[in-house]
């Protein structure tokens, strides 16, 4: 028999939040590396530290604040997860995705997931933004393994995971801030080491355009919860073996590039939220 989860019901954490906020969010946003400053564009109505929210994991990745912010962005009510827990930190899949279930229980209909990723597509440049058209899960785990939450499906359809309508809105938002968006397939690995050049060649053969260590668990759970999903990567580095002879892939480079692009990332996410308002 599977071990019973130590986690609370996401709905009980959601009710606690809803009791302390007037915001009824329609859009959930998960801010990954390089997207943190998006939170400063929110007209904040209420915020919580993750440590005050039962079941929320306290991650330690740099640039991941560990705050849930509720308020308005681009004129619509939003719930923003500033920072995520990663599988590579040692969290269980259910812990990594707990906050996503809470967003669904708060009543959000749409979810924007963001991350930093290594570029695999030969035309991608460092600093590009990529809208996710699909993903490949090579994390070696699935967050839906185990007991089925009440009202959820056991076997979840993953065709058209990334919503066409939301993708068009994100593309239109990008045009409005004069940004050319790339499109592609995000491949998720567990990390925490970066990939070998041979792995990256293999991933290219598999159809991947970018590689990262997050997002896919949350997306799978969001899909089980029936949310409409849109995904955005900041390409912070050439994936291993694609950056020239002297290349070293480092988290310093990832964070440095993400930092340079955070202003544009913020304008893009604001413009996207504003489009959902109309
Ligand atoms: N590989 C995996 N994860 C990443 C990378 C990478 O090259 N860049 C940013 N996150």
């Amino acid at each position: 028999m599977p071990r019973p989860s130590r986690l609370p019901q996401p709905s009980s954490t959601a009710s606690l939040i809803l009791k302390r906020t007037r915001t009824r969010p329609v859009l959930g946003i998960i801010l990954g590396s390089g997207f943190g400053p998006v939170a400063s564009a929110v007209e904040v109505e209420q915020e919580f530290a993750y440590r005050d929210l039962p079941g929320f994991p306290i991650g330690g990745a740099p640039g991941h604040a560990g705050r849930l912010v509720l308020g308005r962005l681009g004129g619509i009510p939003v719930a923003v997860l500033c920072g995520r827990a990663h599988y590579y930190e040692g969290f269980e899949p259910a812990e990594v995705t707990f906050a996503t279930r809470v967003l669904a229980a708060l009543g959000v209909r749409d979810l924007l997931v963001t991350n930093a990723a290594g570029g695999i597509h030969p035309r991608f440049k460092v600093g590009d933004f990529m809208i996710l058209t699909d993903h490949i899960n090579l994390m070696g785990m699935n967050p839906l393994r185990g007991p089925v939450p009440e009202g959820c499906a056991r076997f979840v359809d993953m065709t058209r995971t990334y919503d066409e309508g939301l993708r068009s809105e994100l593309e239109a938002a990008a045009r409005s801030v004069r940004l050319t968006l790339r499109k592609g397939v995000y491949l998720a690995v567990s990390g925490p080491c970066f990939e070998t050049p041979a792995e990256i060649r293999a991933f290219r053969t598999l159809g991947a355009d970018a590689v990262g260590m997050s997002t896919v668990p949350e997306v799978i759970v969001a899909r089980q919860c029936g949310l409409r999903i849109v995904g955005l990567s900041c390409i912070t580095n050439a994936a291993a073996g694609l950056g020239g002879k002297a290349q070293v892939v480092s988290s310093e480079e990832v964070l440095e590039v993400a930092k340079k692009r955070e202003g544009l990332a913020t304008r893009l996410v604001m413009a996207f939220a504003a489009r959902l308002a109309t």
Side-chain angles (χ1 to χ4, degrees):
M1 276 295 280
R3 270 183 303 136
S5 167
R6 292 171 289 103
L7 291 170
Q9 288 297 326
S11 57
S12 69
T13 300
S15 343
L16 184 149
I17 294 165
L18 289 172
K19 274 193 204 120
R20 298 196 203 152
T21 175
R22 277 175 284 117
T23 302
R24 294 293 174 264
V26 296
L27 171 67
I29 303 176
I30 303 179
L31 299 178
S33 308
F35 290 87
V38 171
S40 57
V42 176
E43 293 164 52
V44 180
E45 188 256 318
Q46 181 61 284
E47 59 182 301
F48 301 88
Y50 286 178
R51 78 181 101 78
D52 296 327
L53 295 174
F56 270 58
I58 322 278
H64 289 252
R67 282 183 308 140
L68 166 66
V69 171
L70 293 132
R72 295 183 86 81
L73 182 68
I76 61 165
V78 294
V80 185
L81 295 175
C82 308
R84 53 158 61 92
H86 297 85
Y87 188 51
Y88 64 70
E89 293 176 84
F91 293 107
E92 294 303 321
E95 295 174 310
V96 172
T97 55
F98 182 81
T100 305
R101 291 197 187 279
V102 172
L103 288 181
L106 290 175
V108 313
R109 181 193 54 186
D110 298 330
L111 179 67
L112 168 64
V113 286
T114 64
N115 60 52
I120 299 181
H121 191 290
R123 287 231 271 276
F124 286 5
K125 296 203 170 56
V126 168
D128 280 352
F129 288 91
M130 180 189 90
I131 185 163
L132 275 65
T133 55
D134 207 343
H135 75 228
I136 298 172
N137 179 11
L138 283 188
M139 291 185 100
M141 63 88 156
N142 192 299
L144 306 188
R145 178 170 179 264
V148 188
E150 216 178 293
C152 286
R154 164 80 298 174
F155 301 105
V156 174
D157 172 50
M158 294 297 289
T159 50
R160 290 183 297 279
T161 291
Y162 297 89
D163 186 84
E164 287 245 2
L166 291 182
R167 270 159 56 186
S168 306
E169 295 300 346
L170 187 54
E171 280 167 332
R175 284 194 294 275
S176 78
V177 298
R178 298 176 185 285
L179 169 72
T180 310
L181 274 188
R182 306 290 192 171
K183 283 184 210 179
V185 173
Y186 175 90
L187 183 146
V189 290
S190 72
C193 64
F194 289 109
E195 302 70 37
T196 64
E199 285 167 341
I200 295 300
R201 285 193 299 275
F203 295 167
R204 182 72 197 138
T205 305
L206 291 177
D209 299 300
V211 60
M213 303 177 193
S214 70
T215 304
V216 162
E218 292 105 312
V219 165
I220 292 172
V221 162
R223 188 85 176 135
Q224 187 186 44
C225 296
L227 303 186
R228 297 196 306 191
I229 301 157
V230 63
L232 180 65
S233 295
C234 177
I235 304 298
T236 51
N237 58 285
L242 305 178
K245 277 211 161 57
Q247 181 189 21
V248 177
V249 183
S250 73
S251 64
E252 286 76 18
E253 181 191 13
V254 168
L255 293 175
E256 193 186 308
V257 173
K259 183 134 194 56
K260 280 195 190 133
R261 302 300 274 172
E262 64 191 24
L264 193 51
T266 303
R267 290 200 294 283
L268 174 59
V269 174
M270 269 184 89
F272 171 69
R275 290 196 64 86
L276 296 190
T278 54

